[in-house]
Amino acid sequence: QQQVKQSPQSLIVQKGGISIINCAYENTAFDYFPWYQQFPGKGPALLIAIRPDVSEKKEGRFTISFNKSAKQFSLHIMDSQPGDSATYFCAASKVIQGAQKLVFGQGTRLTINP
Amino acid sequence: DGGITQSPKYLFRKEGQNVTLSCEQNLNHDAMYWYRQDPGQGLRLIYYSQIVNDFQKGDIAEGYSVSREKKESFPLTVTSAQKNPTAFYLCASKRTVNQPQHFGDGTRLSIL
């Protein structure tokens, strides 16, 4: 119940296309769903996040779609650019004894071809 | 500039040796975390600390130890009991419960 399953493992998209990464969870206690972007040799950086009372959140070219009943959420990158090539992680969070604990998906390596 | 500094960037361990990874933050964050990242896997939680002089085990704490003597510092020791220590180690911090975690740029540990 602590797992977050992420797919696909790798994704190749042409420049200007839409990149879509999917995640699914089982534990309904999760209350915060962030996406992180990681470049080689760097730590993950928060990209966008959503709470389960909202079905969609958009920030620039990045959109999270959230389906609470299906326990799924996805990241859409519109007009994908070569600079978006990175590894993306979804995560789910819940608070245990006052501490936020994040459970991460396995990651998706995204390559945008010019 | 405020941020999280991890050092060294690369570290090599000999068999039977303990090594300590440094994590310092000047963000005035209360909570700090250590994660391990292996190829093709997500981040897994090793230890976390919500306040000074207090810390809790995460999902894979065996073979690791931590201390939190100062708010800005949360060093991780990889002991000789950790039989598979080769990985990318990430430190994170956050201000309060409803704030996101911010990550350092990691330390890559390898075995000689």
Side-chain angles (χ1 to χ4, degrees), chain A residues 1-4 25-36 46 49-52 66 73 90-96 98-105, chain B residues 33 35 45 94 96-101:
Chain A
Q1 276 213 328
Q2 296 299 317
Q3 283 188 326
V4 175
Y25 64 98
E26 295 182 355
N27 191 335
T28 56
F30 290 134
D31 60 2
Y32 175 69
F33 301 87
W35 284 88
Y36 284 85
L46 180 68
I50 197 168
R51 295 198 181 273
F66 188 85
F73 59 110
C90 63
S93 166
K94 61 178 180 175
V95 176
I96 300 176
Q100 180 202 58
K101 293 188 72 176
L102 281 173
V103 178
F104 285 85
Chain B
Y33 303 78
Y35 293 90
L45 182 64
K94 66 189 302 292
T96 63
V97 167
N98 292 322
Q99 296 297 311
Q101 292 185 22

Side-chain angles (χ1 to χ4, degrees), chain A residues 66-82:
Chain A
F66 188 85
N67 186 330
K68 188 174 181 178
S69 60
K71 291 184 282 187
Q72 295 175 346
F73 59 110
S74 60
L75 175 69
H76 292 64
I77 305 174
M78 312 299 288
D79 187 26
S80 299
Q81 299 297 311

